[in-house]
Amino acid sequence: MYDFDQVKELLQLVASSGVGELEIERNGYRLRIAGQQTTVVAAPAVAPVTAPAAAPAAPAPAEPASAPAAPSAGSEPEAPAIDSSLHVLNSPIVGTFYSAPDPDSEVFVKPGDPVKKGQVVCIVEAMKLMNEIECDVDGTVVEVLQENAQAVEFGQPLFTIRPA
């Protein structure tokens, strides 16, 4: 599960970033931070446990017990339909997507660019660490699925790539 310091750091990250909601699944456990509500689900069959994330406020309605987290099903928000012949590069972590190394630099890749396995295609910042995300196939970038400086979840599609 998550230890106290990890949860505290995630709460601070969400509060300082302006992200409205953060949901993380790991080893059958789900942590959801949404505004003033934090929900931890211990297993798919267990109802959510709600605790305030900051100063006490009016309690938000809890998630219904009939909608438990399924570890095998992704929690991607409204994922677009993707051509099955394309390779999808997903985010390996929760964080903030950056398409360039810094605001004044060119983007790492754009649609139509050739990419090689191991080539850095973006950065996902997580807990103040800049994580270079490398392409896992040779091919051509078809689409960049995320906007610069937007929050991404674990497993959320970042790019579609036509394999070489």
Side-chain angles (χ1 to χ4, degrees), residues 2 7 13 17 29 38 43 49-50 60-61 72 76 85 104 109 112 115 132-134 136 138 145 159:
Y2 304 95
V7 173
L13 178 66
S17 70
Y29 294 94
T38 302
V49 176
T50 304
S72 61
E76 302 165 15
S85 68
D104 299 325
V109 295
V115 289
E132 292 183 336
I133 308 304
E134 297 177 349
D136 53 356
D138 292 342
L145 300 171
F159 299 91

Side-chain angles (χ1 to χ4, degrees), residues 91-115:
S91 179
I93 55 176
V94 173
T96 304
F97 172 87
Y98 292 107
S99 57
D102 61 69
D104 299 325
S105 297
E106 290 282 325
V107 296
F108 287 107
V109 295
K110 58 188 176 297
D113 284 354
V115 289

Side-chain angles (χ1 to χ4, degrees), residues 30-103:
R30 182 174 72 173
L31 172 67
R32 180 172 173 250
I33 301 170
Q36 297 294 319
Q37 174 184 352
T38 302
T39 304
V40 179
V41 178
V46 176
V49 176
T50 304
E63 291 181 336
S66 62
S72 61
S75 57
E76 302 165 15
E78 299 146 22
I82 297 174
D83 182 349
S84 62
S85 68
L86 299 177
H87 174 73
V88 179
L89 179 61
N90 296 317
S91 179
I93 55 176
V94 173
T96 304
F97 172 87
Y98 292 107
S99 57
D102 61 69

Side-chain angles (χ1 to χ4, degrees), residues 112-133:
D113 284 354
V115 289
K116 296 282 185 191
K117 185 175 183 177
Q119 176 182 341
V120 175
V121 292
C122 68
I123 292 174
V124 176
E125 177 188 6
M127 294 189 246
K128 310 266 187 224
L129 295 174
M130 299 298 181
N131 300 281
E132 292 183 336
I133 308 304

